[in-house]
Amino acid sequence: QLQLVESGGGLVQPGGSLRLSCAASGFTLEHYAIGWFRQAPGKEREGVSCISSSGGSLNYADSVKGRFTISRDNAKNTVYLQMNSLKPEDTAVYYCATRYMHCSYYRTEYNYWGQGTQVTVSS
């Protein structure tokens, strides 16, 4: 079976950090760009970050630029999202998704999706 599984979410204080993981099983991520998206209650799902298949291109939403860092480890078939200086408005379910080779700004361009992991930023 082809699976993407997000992990690493949880409850964190404002200003804290979390590292999310997106692990693939049943296929390799070698030829895929990986995007991170998030959806808060009552809001549209929005793009957060993306890394190209080679790791050579990194993209970030303006709202997270300078705070979040995306990376990949193809040996572990895993993509990471390091989230620092977290704010309450970062609270959402975070999803990872694949697109062949290149990143896209639009979520409809992505094909495989994980089940999501909850991130809650609250005091």
Side-chain angles (χ1 to χ4, degrees):
Q1 283 187 312
L2 307 181
Q3 288 186 304
L4 283 178
V5 179
E6 302 94 338
S7 62
L11 175 64
V12 66
Q13 300 260 352
S17 297
L18 287 172
R19 188 178 75 159
L20 305 184
S21 297
C22 174
S25 61
F27 70 107
T28 178
L29 293 178
E30 181 182 3
H31 299 118
Y32 292 93
I34 304 297
W36 284 97
F37 298 81
R38 67 187 182 187
Q39 188 165 23
K43 299 182 69 176
E44 294 284 325
R45 189 171 299 186
E46 63 177 349
V48 176
S49 186
C50 185
I51 185 167
S52 64
S53 61
S54 69
S57 294
L58 311 177
N59 300 282
Y60 300 95
D62 288 343
S63 60
V64 307
K65 196 170 297 181
R67 299 188 297 122
F68 291 10
T69 303
I70 192 169
S71 62
R72 65 190 300 152
D73 186 343
N74 284 350
K76 296 181 178 179
N77 217 23
T78 300
V79 172
Y80 304 98
L81 185 68
Q82 179 68 46
M83 307 187 297
N84 298 327
S85 302
L86 283 162
K87 305 174 180 180
E89 52 262 45
D90 295 318
T91 296
V93 177
Y94 283 71
Y95 302 88
C96 64
T98 66
R99 186 178 188 271
Y100 189 66
M101 297 299 289
H102 307 295
C103 290
S104 172
Y105 180 81
Y106 305 100
R107 61 182 174 90
T108 56
E109 299 277 333
Y110 293 79
N111 40 26
Y112 292 101
W113 290 79
Q115 295 297 306
T117 185
Q118 177 71 50
V119 172
T120 303
V121 185
S122 177
S123 58

